[in-house]
Amino acid sequence: MGKPLFAAPKGTRDLLPDEAGRFSRIEAAFRRACGLFGYEEIRTPHLENVDLFARAVGETTDIVEKEMYTLQTKGGDKLALRPENTAGVLRAYLEAGLHRTAPRQRLFYIGSMFRHESSQKKRWREFTQAGVECLGSPHPEADAEVVALALHVFAELGLEVRTELSTFGCPDCRGRFRAALAEHYSARKDGLCPDCARRLERNVFRLLDCKDERCRAMAAEAPTIERFLDAACREHFAAVQEQLRGQKLEFVLNMRLVRGLDYYNRTIFEFFLRTECGRQDALGAGGRYDGLGELLGGPRVHAVGFALGVDRIALALAGAEQRRRRVEVYIAAEPGEAGVQVPALARDLRKRGVSCATDVAQRQLGAQMEEADRLGAMFAVMLGVREVVPGQAVLRDLDSGVQRSHDLSQLVDEIVGRVEEKRRELRS
Ligand code: HAM
């Protein structure tokens, strides 16, 4: 047999059923949470103008400098596959004139993003983000709301996360912080990596984010924003914390938190798996970005949001997962004994909302029971088994192994009742 001619391009991958199932579960939990918080879906194109990201995310960021997939159309337009979606959502909001007609918007999106990352674990070149953008409020209640929404999703998925919270101040605070950082790094200029030496003049904040060993050591000794915050930014930050505490949402302050995008001001945050410590990849991140509207040629639009990394969350779920349930009931039968009973029972169960699978390969009863196990069924029904009284079937609980015979006339009601009971147990 020859080798297949094609593989998924480097940094991309197929989501086979196990993984695709996890994605669907995450997306469903996210959609449910968005519904509970009153967020509405927005869909924007995967392709945007390159300049949108250069302006919004920042020309000197890794995303724009190194990671964007760009192309030129035959007509000469320079486009990029979106590396993130905050810029696209705000562009759409301004383009539709919502800032005039309906300025307060609670929006969410789910979709693919593209970044030409160097090959690393937990970094894909096409990945899925599930994000929200709360537009039109400068108040700390909005910051706390989006954090609460993200934490609701994680709780629904049974993941324990650590929320790291910080602030990036306003342009005035940042001016003072920038000067202090420039002084810190200028004194250590010779030790910087070539990228950082170049960025020192253009955007000193980027140096805090460098992955180079020596630059990281310098970042650890650099001043933090705290000392440079003005009264209003300090107050906003304190109010966000108060809001979170009021909702009993846990967080830790990390004044060394750095975001890889330039549009943030004031609140910034990241979510990490609580069981992981040390350097790690965030499961999601976000913050406030009140200046982006003006950067895109519109008015000031107060805004705060986040994006969750669905691929990384799926990986975390896979680690915690036991047997995955693909169907609730498996209907097995002695070959040749049960005739049309099997598809008829399957039809009756499906009509009542119970998922089930049957043998379609004419296998022996033993092989059918193995399939029931592989599919993670809660129950197996065995029809046409010789030792059982005619007119009865065996119902086996596959979690406990306990089984009993039931009259065929009562079988559907019995199964539906037992499945509902198990669903309730699983939910509680
Ligand atoms: P970000 O921190 O660039 O923020 O990405 C958010 C999340 O997307 C990350 O925490 C991570 O889980 C996931 N992610 C990023 N890059 C990759 C990758 N190469 N492979 C897998 N997962 C990845 C943003 O994108 C902002 N737009 C978030 C935001 C929304 N801020 C305000 N509103």
PDB file of all heavy atoms in Angstrom, residues 63 84-86 109 115 117 122-124 127 129 132-133 259 261 263-264 282-287 289 305-309 311-312, ligand 1:
ATOM      1  N   ILE A  63       1.985  39.203  16.141  1.00  0.00           N
ATOM      2  CA  ILE A  63       0.866  38.781  15.281  1.00  0.00           C
ATOM      3  C   ILE A  63       0.970  39.463  13.921  1.00  0.00           C
ATOM      4  O   ILE A  63       0.878  38.812  12.883  1.00  0.00           O
ATOM      5  CB  ILE A  63      -0.493  39.099  15.965  1.00  0.00           C
ATOM      6  CG1 ILE A  63      -0.674  38.232  17.210  1.00  0.00           C
ATOM      7  CG2 ILE A  63      -1.652  38.907  14.992  1.00  0.00           C
ATOM      8  CD1 ILE A  63      -1.961  38.475  17.973  1.00  0.00           C
ATOM      9  N   GLU A  84      -7.316  37.289  14.622  1.00  0.00           N
ATOM     10  CA  GLU A  84      -8.164  37.449  15.806  1.00  0.00           C
ATOM     11  C   GLU A  84      -9.410  38.166  15.327  1.00  0.00           C
ATOM     12  O   GLU A  84      -9.478  38.581  14.162  1.00  0.00           O
ATOM     13  CB  GLU A  84      -7.438  38.239  16.904  1.00  0.00           C
ATOM     14  CG  GLU A  84      -7.068  39.652  16.526  1.00  0.00           C
ATOM     15  CD  GLU A  84      -8.065  40.675  17.022  1.00  0.00           C
ATOM     16  OE1 GLU A  84      -8.339  40.684  18.219  1.00  0.00           O
ATOM     17  OE2 GLU A  84      -8.601  41.449  16.199  1.00  0.00           O
ATOM     18  N   ASN A  85     -10.424  38.334  16.199  1.00  0.00           N
ATOM     19  CA  ASN A  85     -11.685  38.858  15.666  1.00  0.00           C
ATOM     20  C   ASN A  85     -12.205  40.118  16.346  1.00  0.00           C
ATOM     21  O   ASN A  85     -13.276  40.598  16.000  1.00  0.00           O
ATOM     22  CB  ASN A  85     -12.762  37.770  15.708  1.00  0.00           C
ATOM     23  CG  ASN A  85     -13.860  38.017  14.693  1.00  0.00           C
ATOM     24  OD1 ASN A  85     -13.608  38.666  13.673  1.00  0.00           O
ATOM     25  ND2 ASN A  85     -15.053  37.538  14.964  1.00  0.00           N
ATOM     26  N   THR A  86     -11.463  40.664  17.306  1.00  0.00           N
ATOM     27  CA  THR A  86     -11.941  41.891  17.948  1.00  0.00           C
ATOM     28  C   THR A  86     -11.960  43.034  16.941  1.00  0.00           C
ATOM     29  O   THR A  86     -12.924  43.805  16.869  1.00  0.00           O
ATOM     30  CB  THR A  86     -11.038  42.238  19.149  1.00  0.00           C
ATOM     31  OG1 THR A  86     -11.022  41.097  20.003  1.00  0.00           O
ATOM     32  CG2 THR A  86     -11.544  43.434  19.914  1.00  0.00           C
ATOM     33  N   TYR A 109     -18.996  35.516  19.048  1.00  0.00           N
ATOM     34  CA  TYR A 109     -18.635  34.855  17.794  1.00  0.00           C
ATOM     35  C   TYR A 109     -17.903  33.561  18.110  1.00  0.00           C
ATOM     36  O   TYR A 109     -17.301  33.418  19.186  1.00  0.00           O
ATOM     37  CB  TYR A 109     -17.730  35.762  16.926  1.00  0.00           C
ATOM     38  CG  TYR A 109     -16.498  36.235  17.660  1.00  0.00           C
ATOM     39  CD1 TYR A 109     -15.333  35.463  17.703  1.00  0.00           C
ATOM     40  CD2 TYR A 109     -16.504  37.446  18.350  1.00  0.00           C
ATOM     41  CE1 TYR A 109     -14.219  35.889  18.394  1.00  0.00           C
ATOM     42  CE2 TYR A 109     -15.377  37.876  19.047  1.00  0.00           C
ATOM     43  CZ  TYR A 109     -14.242  37.096  19.069  1.00  0.00           C
ATOM     44  OH  TYR A 109     -13.143  37.513  19.777  1.00  0.00           O
ATOM     45  N   ARG A 115      -2.905  32.084  12.494  1.00  0.00           N
ATOM     46  CA  ARG A 115      -1.631  32.743  12.834  1.00  0.00           C
ATOM     47  C   ARG A 115      -0.507  31.816  12.404  1.00  0.00           C
ATOM     48  O   ARG A 115      -0.531  30.627  12.741  1.00  0.00           O
ATOM     49  CB  ARG A 115      -1.527  33.011  14.350  1.00  0.00           C
ATOM     50  CG  ARG A 115      -2.576  33.970  14.845  1.00  0.00           C
ATOM     51  CD  ARG A 115      -2.417  34.299  16.327  1.00  0.00           C
ATOM     52  NE  ARG A 115      -3.616  34.984  16.806  1.00  0.00           N
ATOM     53  CZ  ARG A 115      -3.834  35.358  18.063  1.00  0.00           C
ATOM     54  NH1 ARG A 115      -2.921  35.108  18.996  1.00  0.00           N
ATOM     55  NH2 ARG A 115      -4.950  35.972  18.388  1.00  0.00           N
ATOM     56  N   GLU A 117       2.226  30.567  13.352  1.00  0.00           N
ATOM     57  CA  GLU A 117       3.063  30.355  14.531  1.00  0.00           C
ATOM     58  C   GLU A 117       4.180  29.386  14.166  1.00  0.00           C
ATOM     59  O   GLU A 117       3.998  28.520  13.310  1.00  0.00           O
ATOM     60  CB  GLU A 117       2.230  29.693  15.638  1.00  0.00           C
ATOM     61  CG  GLU A 117       0.945  30.412  15.980  1.00  0.00           C
ATOM     62  CD  GLU A 117       1.050  31.175  17.281  1.00  0.00           C
ATOM     63  OE1 GLU A 117       2.186  31.395  17.754  1.00  0.00           O
ATOM     64  OE2 GLU A 117      -0.002  31.562  17.807  1.00  0.00           O
ATOM     65  N   LYS A 122       0.314  23.146  21.470  1.00  0.00           N
ATOM     66  CA  LYS A 122      -0.826  24.001  21.813  1.00  0.00           C
ATOM     67  C   LYS A 122      -0.901  25.296  21.009  1.00  0.00           C
ATOM     68  O   LYS A 122      -1.560  26.250  21.390  1.00  0.00           O
ATOM     69  CB  LYS A 122      -0.842  24.328  23.305  1.00  0.00           C
ATOM     70  CG  LYS A 122      -0.960  23.095  24.169  1.00  0.00           C
ATOM     71  CD  LYS A 122      -1.268  23.464  25.575  1.00  0.00           C
ATOM     72  CE  LYS A 122      -1.108  22.264  26.490  1.00  0.00           C
ATOM     73  NZ  LYS A 122      -1.215  22.616  27.888  1.00  0.00           N
ATOM     74  N   ARG A 123      -0.124  25.380  19.927  1.00  0.00           N
ATOM     75  CA  ARG A 123      -0.254  26.524  19.014  1.00  0.00           C
ATOM     76  C   ARG A 123      -0.502  25.979  17.625  1.00  0.00           C
ATOM     77  O   ARG A 123       0.345  25.270  17.092  1.00  0.00           O
ATOM     78  CB  ARG A 123       1.018  27.361  19.000  1.00  0.00           C
ATOM     79  CG  ARG A 123       1.141  28.204  20.222  1.00  0.00           C
ATOM     80  CD  ARG A 123       2.412  29.029  20.222  1.00  0.00           C
ATOM     81  NE  ARG A 123       2.642  29.469  21.575  1.00  0.00           N
ATOM     82  CZ  ARG A 123       2.108  30.554  22.089  1.00  0.00           C
ATOM     83  NH1 ARG A 123       1.378  31.332  21.341  1.00  0.00           N
ATOM     84  NH2 ARG A 123       2.324  30.877  23.345  1.00  0.00           N
ATOM     85  N   TRP A 124      -1.642  26.308  17.076  1.00  0.00           N
ATOM     86  CA  TRP A 124      -1.964  25.861  15.740  1.00  0.00           C
ATOM     87  C   TRP A 124      -2.027  27.061  14.818  1.00  0.00           C
ATOM     88  O   TRP A 124      -2.211  28.186  15.262  1.00  0.00           O
ATOM     89  CB  TRP A 124      -3.309  25.126  15.739  1.00  0.00           C
ATOM     90  CG  TRP A 124      -3.226  23.808  16.432  1.00  0.00           C
ATOM     91  CD1 TRP A 124      -2.876  22.619  15.876  1.00  0.00           C
ATOM     92  CD2 TRP A 124      -3.467  23.539  17.820  1.00  0.00           C
ATOM     93  NE1 TRP A 124      -2.891  21.625  16.831  1.00  0.00           N
ATOM     94  CE2 TRP A 124      -3.243  22.156  18.018  1.00  0.00           C
ATOM     95  CE3 TRP A 124      -3.846  24.317  18.924  1.00  0.00           C
ATOM     96  CZ2 TRP A 124      -3.406  21.540  19.264  1.00  0.00           C
ATOM     97  CZ3 TRP A 124      -3.994  23.708  20.150  1.00  0.00           C
ATOM     98  CH2 TRP A 124      -3.770  22.344  20.314  1.00  0.00           C
ATOM     99  N   PHE A 127      -6.894  27.863  14.270  1.00  0.00           N
ATOM    100  CA  PHE A 127      -7.456  27.469  15.554  1.00  0.00           C
ATOM    101  C   PHE A 127      -8.804  28.158  15.731  1.00  0.00           C
ATOM    102  O   PHE A 127      -9.139  29.081  14.988  1.00  0.00           O
ATOM    103  CB  PHE A 127      -6.498  27.819  16.709  1.00  0.00           C
ATOM    104  CG  PHE A 127      -6.153  29.281  16.791  1.00  0.00           C
ATOM    105  CD1 PHE A 127      -6.810  30.124  17.678  1.00  0.00           C
ATOM    106  CD2 PHE A 127      -5.182  29.827  15.961  1.00  0.00           C
ATOM    107  CE1 PHE A 127      -6.503  31.473  17.748  1.00  0.00           C
ATOM    108  CE2 PHE A 127      -4.873  31.185  16.010  1.00  0.00           C
ATOM    109  CZ  PHE A 127      -5.535  32.004  16.905  1.00  0.00           C
ATOM    110  N   GLN A 129     -11.569  30.249  18.002  1.00  0.00           N
ATOM    111  CA  GLN A 129     -11.824  31.096  19.177  1.00  0.00           C
ATOM    112  C   GLN A 129     -13.323  31.245  19.372  1.00  0.00           C
ATOM    113  O   GLN A 129     -14.083  31.327  18.404  1.00  0.00           O
ATOM    114  CB  GLN A 129     -11.240  32.498  18.981  1.00  0.00           C
ATOM    115  CG  GLN A 129      -9.758  32.598  19.234  1.00  0.00           C
ATOM    116  CD  GLN A 129      -9.276  34.055  19.234  1.00  0.00           C
ATOM    117  OE1 GLN A 129      -9.978  34.963  18.816  1.00  0.00           O
ATOM    118  NE2 GLN A 129      -8.056  34.259  19.704  1.00  0.00           N
ATOM    119  N   VAL A 132     -16.418  37.087  23.092  1.00  0.00           N
ATOM    120  CA  VAL A 132     -17.502  38.071  23.250  1.00  0.00           C
ATOM    121  C   VAL A 132     -16.913  39.476  23.245  1.00  0.00           C
ATOM    122  O   VAL A 132     -15.758  39.677  23.617  1.00  0.00           O
ATOM    123  CB  VAL A 132     -18.303  37.883  24.571  1.00  0.00           C
ATOM    124  CG1 VAL A 132     -18.776  36.457  24.732  1.00  0.00           C
ATOM    125  CG2 VAL A 132     -17.516  38.339  25.781  1.00  0.00           C
ATOM    126  N   GLU A 133     -17.722  40.426  22.810  1.00  0.00           N
ATOM    127  CA  GLU A 133     -17.339  41.827  22.871  1.00  0.00           C
ATOM    128  C   GLU A 133     -18.544  42.581  23.428  1.00  0.00           C
ATOM    129  O   GLU A 133     -19.640  42.505  22.867  1.00  0.00           O
ATOM    130  CB  GLU A 133     -16.977  42.385  21.477  1.00  0.00           C
ATOM    131  CG  GLU A 133     -16.010  41.528  20.657  1.00  0.00           C
ATOM    132  CD  GLU A 133     -14.610  41.362  21.246  1.00  0.00           C
ATOM    133  OE1 GLU A 133     -14.279  42.030  22.253  1.00  0.00           O
ATOM    134  OE2 GLU A 133     -13.845  40.535  20.716  1.00  0.00           O
ATOM    135  N   ARG A 259      -0.170  41.388  27.398  1.00  0.00           N
ATOM    136  CA  ARG A 259      -0.989  40.917  26.290  1.00  0.00           C
ATOM    137  C   ARG A 259      -0.249  41.177  24.987  1.00  0.00           C
ATOM    138  O   ARG A 259       0.458  42.171  24.858  1.00  0.00           O
ATOM    139  CB  ARG A 259      -2.349  41.625  26.293  1.00  0.00           C
ATOM    140  CG  ARG A 259      -3.139  41.454  27.582  1.00  0.00           C
ATOM    141  CD  ARG A 259      -3.793  40.086  27.703  1.00  0.00           C
ATOM    142  NE  ARG A 259      -4.800  39.912  26.689  1.00  0.00           N
ATOM    143  CZ  ARG A 259      -4.745  38.971  25.730  1.00  0.00           C
ATOM    144  NH1 ARG A 259      -3.745  38.122  25.686  1.00  0.00           N
ATOM    145  NH2 ARG A 259      -5.698  38.867  24.838  1.00  0.00           N
ATOM    146  N   LEU A 261      -1.362  42.068  22.173  1.00  0.00           N
ATOM    147  CA  LEU A 261      -2.055  42.959  21.235  1.00  0.00           C
ATOM    148  C   LEU A 261      -2.028  44.370  21.823  1.00  0.00           C
ATOM    149  O   LEU A 261      -2.152  44.536  23.033  1.00  0.00           O
ATOM    150  CB  LEU A 261      -3.506  42.504  21.034  1.00  0.00           C
ATOM    151  CG  LEU A 261      -3.693  41.028  20.640  1.00  0.00           C
ATOM    152  CD1 LEU A 261      -4.022  40.178  21.836  1.00  0.00           C
ATOM    153  CD2 LEU A 261      -4.765  40.879  19.586  1.00  0.00           C
ATOM    154  N   TYR A 263      -4.171  46.964  21.490  1.00  0.00           N
ATOM    155  CA  TYR A 263      -5.347  47.824  21.651  1.00  0.00           C
ATOM    156  C   TYR A 263      -5.882  47.956  23.066  1.00  0.00           C
ATOM    157  O   TYR A 263      -6.839  48.665  23.313  1.00  0.00           O
ATOM    158  CB  TYR A 263      -6.484  47.419  20.695  1.00  0.00           C
ATOM    159  CG  TYR A 263      -6.851  45.947  20.627  1.00  0.00           C
ATOM    160  CD1 TYR A 263      -7.295  45.246  21.737  1.00  0.00           C
ATOM    161  CD2 TYR A 263      -6.799  45.285  19.396  1.00  0.00           C
ATOM    162  CE1 TYR A 263      -7.666  43.913  21.630  1.00  0.00           C
ATOM    163  CE2 TYR A 263      -7.179  43.953  19.290  1.00  0.00           C
ATOM    164  CZ  TYR A 263      -7.603  43.269  20.410  1.00  0.00           C
ATOM    165  OH  TYR A 263      -7.967  41.956  20.305  1.00  0.00           O
ATOM    166  N   TYR A 264      -5.267  47.267  24.033  1.00  0.00           N
ATOM    167  CA  TYR A 264      -5.862  47.264  25.372  1.00  0.00           C
ATOM    168  C   TYR A 264      -5.600  48.541  26.168  1.00  0.00           C
ATOM    169  O   TYR A 264      -4.570  49.194  26.008  1.00  0.00           O
ATOM    170  CB  TYR A 264      -5.342  46.071  26.173  1.00  0.00           C
ATOM    171  CG  TYR A 264      -5.842  44.754  25.635  1.00  0.00           C
ATOM    172  CD1 TYR A 264      -4.993  43.875  24.981  1.00  0.00           C
ATOM    173  CD2 TYR A 264      -7.181  44.406  25.746  1.00  0.00           C
ATOM    174  CE1 TYR A 264      -5.461  42.679  24.467  1.00  0.00           C
ATOM    175  CE2 TYR A 264      -7.656  43.210  25.227  1.00  0.00           C
ATOM    176  CZ  TYR A 264      -6.793  42.364  24.601  1.00  0.00           C
ATOM    177  OH  TYR A 264      -7.268  41.189  24.088  1.00  0.00           O
ATOM    178  N   ALA A 282      -2.381  30.143  27.859  1.00  0.00           N
ATOM    179  CA  ALA A 282      -3.688  30.555  28.386  1.00  0.00           C
ATOM    180  C   ALA A 282      -4.811  29.837  27.637  1.00  0.00           C
ATOM    181  O   ALA A 282      -4.713  29.567  26.448  1.00  0.00           O
ATOM    182  CB  ALA A 282      -3.845  32.060  28.233  1.00  0.00           C
ATOM    183  N   LEU A 283      -5.886  29.532  28.367  1.00  0.00           N
ATOM    184  CA  LEU A 283      -7.083  28.945  27.750  1.00  0.00           C
ATOM    185  C   LEU A 283      -7.948  30.029  27.134  1.00  0.00           C
ATOM    186  O   LEU A 283      -8.867  29.750  26.364  1.00  0.00           O
ATOM    187  CB  LEU A 283      -7.923  28.212  28.798  1.00  0.00           C
ATOM    188  CG  LEU A 283      -7.336  26.985  29.464  1.00  0.00           C
ATOM    189  CD1 LEU A 283      -8.343  26.382  30.438  1.00  0.00           C
ATOM    190  CD2 LEU A 283      -6.939  25.949  28.429  1.00  0.00           C
ATOM    191  N   GLY A 284      -7.683  31.274  27.496  1.00  0.00           N
ATOM    192  CA  GLY A 284      -8.467  32.385  26.972  1.00  0.00           C
ATOM    193  C   GLY A 284      -7.926  33.670  27.568  1.00  0.00           C
ATOM    194  O   GLY A 284      -7.182  33.628  28.556  1.00  0.00           O
ATOM    195  N   ALA A 285      -8.296  34.786  26.941  1.00  0.00           N
ATOM    196  CA  ALA A 285      -7.754  36.055  27.421  1.00  0.00           C
ATOM    197  C   ALA A 285      -8.573  37.204  26.859  1.00  0.00           C
ATOM    198  O   ALA A 285      -9.289  37.049  25.868  1.00  0.00           O
ATOM    199  CB  ALA A 285      -6.307  36.188  26.964  1.00  0.00           C
ATOM    200  N   GLY A 286      -8.432  38.358  27.491  1.00  0.00           N
ATOM    201  CA  GLY A 286      -9.158  39.515  26.975  1.00  0.00           C
ATOM    202  C   GLY A 286      -8.842  40.764  27.753  1.00  0.00           C
ATOM    203  O   GLY A 286      -7.858  40.830  28.496  1.00  0.00           O
ATOM    204  N   GLY A 287      -9.716  41.749  27.594  1.00  0.00           N
ATOM    205  CA  GLY A 287      -9.510  43.012  28.273  1.00  0.00           C
ATOM    206  C   GLY A 287     -10.337  44.117  27.653  1.00  0.00           C
ATOM    207  O   GLY A 287     -11.156  43.888  26.762  1.00  0.00           O
ATOM    208  N   TYR A 289     -10.733  47.761  25.638  1.00  0.00           N
ATOM    209  CA  TYR A 289     -10.040  48.416  24.513  1.00  0.00           C
ATOM    210  C   TYR A 289     -10.828  49.633  24.040  1.00  0.00           C
ATOM    211  O   TYR A 289     -11.314  49.686  22.934  1.00  0.00           O
ATOM    212  CB  TYR A 289      -9.808  47.409  23.357  1.00  0.00           C
ATOM    213  CG  TYR A 289     -11.040  46.646  22.921  1.00  0.00           C
ATOM    214  CD1 TYR A 289     -11.794  47.076  21.832  1.00  0.00           C
ATOM    215  CD2 TYR A 289     -11.460  45.512  23.594  1.00  0.00           C
ATOM    216  CE1 TYR A 289     -12.932  46.398  21.427  1.00  0.00           C
ATOM    217  CE2 TYR A 289     -12.598  44.829  23.197  1.00  0.00           C
ATOM    218  CZ  TYR A 289     -13.327  45.277  22.118  1.00  0.00           C
ATOM    219  OH  TYR A 289     -14.459  44.606  21.725  1.00  0.00           O
ATOM    220  N   GLY A 305     -13.869  42.718  26.173  1.00  0.00           N
ATOM    221  CA  GLY A 305     -14.240  41.381  25.686  1.00  0.00           C
ATOM    222  C   GLY A 305     -13.147  40.373  25.954  1.00  0.00           C
ATOM    223  O   GLY A 305     -12.135  40.668  26.611  1.00  0.00           O
ATOM    224  N   PHE A 306     -13.359  39.174  25.456  1.00  0.00           N
ATOM    225  CA  PHE A 306     -12.346  38.115  25.594  1.00  0.00           C
ATOM    226  C   PHE A 306     -12.521  37.121  24.465  1.00  0.00           C
ATOM    227  O   PHE A 306     -13.560  37.122  23.780  1.00  0.00           O
ATOM    228  CB  PHE A 306     -12.472  37.389  26.943  1.00  0.00           C
ATOM    229  CG  PHE A 306     -13.732  36.577  27.083  1.00  0.00           C
ATOM    230  CD1 PHE A 306     -13.863  35.332  26.462  1.00  0.00           C
ATOM    231  CD2 PHE A 306     -14.805  37.055  27.827  1.00  0.00           C
ATOM    232  CE1 PHE A 306     -15.027  34.593  26.569  1.00  0.00           C
ATOM    233  CE2 PHE A 306     -15.987  36.308  27.940  1.00  0.00           C
ATOM    234  CZ  PHE A 306     -16.085  35.080  27.305  1.00  0.00           C
ATOM    235  N   ALA A 307     -11.524  36.273  24.274  1.00  0.00           N
ATOM    236  CA  ALA A 307     -11.672  35.128  23.372  1.00  0.00           C
ATOM    237  C   ALA A 307     -11.122  33.896  24.080  1.00  0.00           C
ATOM    238  O   ALA A 307     -10.055  33.950  24.714  1.00  0.00           O
ATOM    239  CB  ALA A 307     -10.931  35.368  22.065  1.00  0.00           C
ATOM    240  N   LEU A 308     -11.875  32.803  23.977  1.00  0.00           N
ATOM    241  CA  LEU A 308     -11.414  31.530  24.536  1.00  0.00           C
ATOM    242  C   LEU A 308     -10.766  30.717  23.422  1.00  0.00           C
ATOM    243  O   LEU A 308     -11.238  30.732  22.284  1.00  0.00           O
ATOM    244  CB  LEU A 308     -12.601  30.744  25.107  1.00  0.00           C
ATOM    245  CG  LEU A 308     -13.423  31.431  26.179  1.00  0.00           C
ATOM    246  CD1 LEU A 308     -14.546  30.506  26.659  1.00  0.00           C
ATOM    247  CD2 LEU A 308     -12.548  31.838  27.364  1.00  0.00           C
ATOM    248  N   GLY A 309      -9.704  30.016  23.741  1.00  0.00           N
ATOM    249  CA  GLY A 309      -9.034  29.142  22.780  1.00  0.00           C
ATOM    250  C   GLY A 309      -9.688  27.763  22.830  1.00  0.00           C
ATOM    251  O   GLY A 309      -9.404  26.972  23.732  1.00  0.00           O
ATOM    252  N   ASP A 311      -9.396  25.109  20.975  1.00  0.00           N
ATOM    253  CA  ASP A 311      -8.481  23.958  20.814  1.00  0.00           C
ATOM    254  C   ASP A 311      -7.821  23.586  22.144  1.00  0.00           C
ATOM    255  O   ASP A 311      -7.706  22.417  22.490  1.00  0.00           O
ATOM    256  CB  ASP A 311      -7.391  24.297  19.799  1.00  0.00           C
ATOM    257  CG  ASP A 311      -7.963  24.696  18.461  1.00  0.00           C
ATOM    258  OD1 ASP A 311      -8.595  25.783  18.381  1.00  0.00           O
ATOM    259  OD2 ASP A 311      -7.807  23.943  17.490  1.00  0.00           O
ATOM    260  N   ARG A 312      -7.388  24.617  22.870  1.00  0.00           N
ATOM    261  CA  ARG A 312      -6.699  24.347  24.145  1.00  0.00           C
ATOM    262  C   ARG A 312      -7.669  23.842  25.192  1.00  0.00           C
ATOM    263  O   ARG A 312      -7.323  23.004  26.029  1.00  0.00           O
ATOM    264  CB  ARG A 312      -6.001  25.614  24.635  1.00  0.00           C
ATOM    265  CG  ARG A 312      -4.829  25.972  23.752  1.00  0.00           C
ATOM    266  CD  ARG A 312      -4.092  27.152  24.304  1.00  0.00           C
ATOM    267  NE  ARG A 312      -3.115  27.629  23.339  1.00  0.00           N
ATOM    268  CZ  ARG A 312      -2.500  28.799  23.430  1.00  0.00           C
ATOM    269  NH1 ARG A 312      -2.770  29.610  24.430  1.00  0.00           N
ATOM    270  NH2 ARG A 312      -1.614  29.154  22.531  1.00  0.00           N
TER     271      ARG A 312
HETATM  272  P1  HAM B   1      -5.308  36.339  22.290  1.00  0.00           P
HETATM  273  O1  HAM B   1      -4.706  36.332  23.666  1.00  0.00           O
HETATM  274  O2  HAM B   1      -4.413  36.591  21.157  1.00  0.00           O
HETATM  275  O3  HAM B   1      -6.484  37.420  22.334  1.00  0.00           O
HETATM  276  O4  HAM B   1      -6.062  34.971  22.037  1.00  0.00           O
HETATM  277  C1  HAM B   1      -7.058  34.491  22.912  1.00  0.00           C
HETATM  278  C2  HAM B   1      -6.921  32.996  23.106  1.00  0.00           C
HETATM  279  O5  HAM B   1      -6.899  32.331  21.831  1.00  0.00           O
HETATM  280  C3  HAM B   1      -5.613  32.576  23.762  1.00  0.00           C
HETATM  281  O6  HAM B   1      -5.675  32.707  25.164  1.00  0.00           O
HETATM  282  C4  HAM B   1      -5.510  31.129  23.330  1.00  0.00           C
HETATM  283  O7  HAM B   1      -6.283  30.287  24.178  1.00  0.00           O
HETATM  284  C5  HAM B   1      -6.121  31.148  21.939  1.00  0.00           C
HETATM  285  N1  HAM B   1      -5.044  31.128  20.934  1.00  0.00           N
HETATM  286  C6  HAM B   1      -4.321  32.169  20.484  1.00  0.00           C
HETATM  287  N2  HAM B   1      -3.424  31.757  19.543  1.00  0.00           N
HETATM  288  C7  HAM B   1      -3.586  30.424  19.420  1.00  0.00           C
HETATM  289  C8  HAM B   1      -2.978  29.402  18.603  1.00  0.00           C
HETATM  290  N3  HAM B   1      -2.021  29.683  17.706  1.00  0.00           N
HETATM  291  N4  HAM B   1      -3.402  28.121  18.756  1.00  0.00           N
HETATM  292  C9  HAM B   1      -4.378  27.826  19.628  1.00  0.00           C
HETATM  293  N5  HAM B   1      -5.000  28.733  20.401  1.00  0.00           N
HETATM  294  C10 HAM B   1      -4.617  30.011  20.308  1.00  0.00           C
HETATM  295  C11 HAM B   1      -7.265  37.746  21.255  1.00  0.00           C
HETATM  296  O8  HAM B   1      -7.269  37.153  20.217  1.00  0.00           O
HETATM  297  C12 HAM B   1      -8.212  38.898  21.531  1.00  0.00           C
HETATM  298  N6  HAM B   1      -8.957  39.186  20.306  1.00  0.00           N
HETATM  299  C13 HAM B   1      -9.142  38.572  22.674  1.00  0.00           C
HETATM  300  C14 HAM B   1     -10.090  39.681  22.983  1.00  0.00           C
HETATM  301  C15 HAM B   1     -11.395  39.750  22.648  1.00  0.00           C
HETATM  302  N7  HAM B   1      -9.790  40.781  23.649  1.00  0.00           N
HETATM  303  C16 HAM B   1     -10.867  41.559  23.713  1.00  0.00           C
HETATM  304  N8  HAM B   1     -11.843  40.939  23.110  1.00  0.00           N
END
